[in-house]
Amino acid sequence: MKVLVTGGTGYIGSHTVVELQQKGYEVVIADNLINSHRDVVDRIEKITGIKPCFEQIDLTVEKGVKQMFDKHGDIHSVIHFAALKAVGESVKQPLRYYHNNIESLINILDAMNRIGSKTIVFSSSCTVYGQPEKLPVTELSPIQPACSPYGHTKQICEEIIANTLSVSELNGVLLRYFNPVGAHPSALIGELPLGAPNNLVPCITQTAIGKRPALKVFGDNYNTPDGTAVRDYIHVVDLAKSHVVALERLFNKKNKKNLEIFNIGTGQGYSVLEVIQSFEKVSGRKLDYEIVGRRSGDIEKIWADTTFANKELGWKAVLGIDEMMLSAWNWEIALKGE
Ligand code: UD1
């Protein structure tokens, strides 16, 4: 079955393409390459032995999206990752985020309806919960006002999908990711931020390898056991696998509603200092870091209740924090050798 993976050369997208190909699916990647590299396609081929079909395309251009769907004809399913995702940047460039993330989705849904595609899996985020009052968060926890235009686009996209699916033949799954980290065990693909990274784990590995000065730990006066902020970090390979499971649930008509929502995390929260400790343990290196003030827009703590995903979706994260940090470190070392 042919699956279109938008954003398929990106961080989570590329790992998902690998898992799909290893399960025998035919993949078409659509990506504009503004935040990823074309050679990811070759790296995927090195891992799986199969070169995915690649379309360089701006998904905000309706005509181009239509043409792509017509060209490939029988796109049964779409996994839609393609989006801008930097929280801070979205505050500075809100319209760019709204245009890009929302128009792309509308064009994809239009094209899917037109050719009669059957299923969509959408890349959403725990950011839709804001700072929850009760932890862990379940899929029924209230959606809070978004803390950034990026987060707002995820909320809007969820609603667009819900409204569209309520009047179409499409079935879908929204996956709300917690904090994806780590890299493929081959060290051939991983997170490759263009420019200075914002996220914690690439900041840690780049500091350790000497690409950046001391890591700044944003705040140690939160209401958490060691004062630093807590997140539910999830290995990107576990996360990638959840997409295949979600897709197969839809293929096999196991879904209970035409749109289902699942939290994709481990259910375990780690503080920034605990993440650093894990990194130091698996890498054998001392990390140079300093405590600085809080980063604006950060929430204090969040982790997932994954009961619904574990029981209903039949998926569970298996890789722990040390495996996440070791794979991220191996990826950074591999990049240095290139
Ligand atoms: C944010 C978004 C999330 C999005 C992700 C993708 C929110 C609430 N979360 O996650 O939805 O999917 O970005 O980019 O909008 N930290 C440091 N020093 C650093 C970098 C980070 O101390 O140099 C800390 C942060 O303050 C935070 C933790 O590490 O407490 C994780 O930060 P980060 O990796 O940026 O992810 P989030 O902000 O949680």
Side-chain angles (χ1 to χ4, degrees):
M1 246 186 276
K2 202 182 272 182
V3 182
L4 175 71
V5 181
T6 73
T9 48
Y11 175 41
I12 307 170
S14 58
H15 288 81
T16 302
V17 171
V18 166
E19 296 300 323
L20 286 167
Q21 290 192 332
Q22 287 178 337
K23 283 263 185 165
Y25 293 101
E26 185 185 347
V27 175
V28 178
I29 294 177
D31 205 301
N32 61 4
L33 297 179
I34 62 155
N35 199 24
S36 61
H37 298 264
R38 200 193 167 110
D39 78 341
V40 169
V41 175
D42 304 324
R43 289 161 176 265
I44 291 170
E45 185 184 11
K46 266 194 198 143
I47 298 170
T48 63
I50 305 159
K51 191 168 194 138
C53 179
F54 176 73
E55 297 282 355
Q56 184 169 355
I57 180 174
D58 178 349
L59 297 170
T60 65
V61 179
E62 188 182 358
K63 200 169 155 209
V65 175
K66 271 190 180 153
Q67 282 169 351
M68 178 179 67
F69 272 76
D70 286 342
K71 177 176 160 193
H72 290 282
D74 51 347
I75 291 172
H76 182 281
S77 300
V78 175
I79 305 183
H80 184 45
F81 292 103
L84 297 171
K85 59 158 193 172
V87 176
E89 185 183 68
S90 78
V91 175
K92 293 187 191 121
Q93 304 172 3
L95 287 178
R96 185 169 163 238
Y97 272 67
Y98 287 114
H99 271 303
N100 185 77
N101 292 3
I102 294 168
E103 286 169 14
S104 301
L105 174 67
I106 293 172
N107 289 339
I108 292 282
L109 288 171
D110 255 342
M112 292 181 80
N113 274 335
R114 203 167 54 84
I115 71 153
S117 304
K118 301 288 182 230
T119 56
I120 181 162
V121 176
F122 178 67
S123 163
S124 190
S125 166
C126 69
T127 194
V128 301
Y129 300 117
Q131 174 59 69
E133 278 168 25
K134 268 181 40 194
L135 286 166
V137 276
T138 74
E139 290 79 357
L140 299 175
S141 296
I143 301 295
Q144 310 260 14
C147 301
S148 68
Y150 157 76
H152 198 200
T153 66
K154 289 293 174 193
Q155 294 178 337
I156 294 170
C157 286
E158 284 199 356
E159 287 177 25
I160 290 173
I161 293 172
N163 294 339
T164 305
L165 268 54
S166 72
V167 290
S168 83
E169 296 295 304
L170 277 170
N171 284 272
V173 168
L174 309 177
L175 296 179
R176 291 182 179 153
Y177 316 149
F178 284 67
N179 285 56
V181 297
H184 195 264
S186 64
L188 283 165
I189 53 171
E191 190 169 8
L192 192 52
L194 296 182
N198 296 304
N199 295 116
L200 178 63
V201 173
C203 286
I204 289 177
T205 56
Q206 291 196 7
T207 299
I209 209 130
K211 279 191 198 164
R212 318 166 26 99
L215 175 85
K216 291 182 167 50
V217 173
F218 298 131
D220 68 347
N221 56 356
Y222 285 109
N223 181 23
T224 59
D226 64 22
T228 62
V230 170
R231 299 284 185 277
D232 183 339
Y233 297 92
I234 171 161
H235 198 299
V236 67
V237 171
D238 274 334
L239 175 59
K241 287 183 173 158
S242 72
H243 295 79
V244 183
V245 176
L247 210 58
E248 291 184 340
R249 177 178 175 85
L250 294 168
F251 290 163
N252 298 328
K253 300 198 171 18
K254 295 266 168 60
N255 49 321
K256 306 264 164 66
K257 295 191 281 184
N258 70 345
L259 182 64
E260 295 179 314
I261 304 175
F262 297 101
N263 280 345
I264 303 296
T266 64
Q268 166 89 46
Y270 287 99
S271 71
V272 176
L273 292 181
E274 286 173 324
V275 173
I276 293 173
Q277 278 155 19
S278 165
F279 173 79
E280 289 182 332
K281 185 172 86 184
V282 299
S283 68
R285 299 204 171 199
K286 275 256 81 37
L287 188 76
D288 188 12
Y289 69 88
E290 56 179 334
I291 309 282
V292 298
R294 292 182 180 192
R295 181 171 72 175
S296 87
D298 268 350
I299 58 164
E300 183 167 88
K301 51 190 167 192
I302 188 164
W303 60 93
D305 183 327
T306 60
T307 314
F308 188 57
N310 300 159
K311 291 203 173 133
E312 186 58 43
L313 184 60
W315 164 92
K316 197 175 185 350
V318 294
L319 299 166
I321 189 76
D322 289 347
E323 286 151 313
M324 299 178 210
M325 299 312 290
L326 183 60
S327 65
W329 181 229
N330 287 338
W331 165 239
E332 190 69 63
I333 291 168
L335 281 175
K336 194 180 181 187
E338 282 176 7

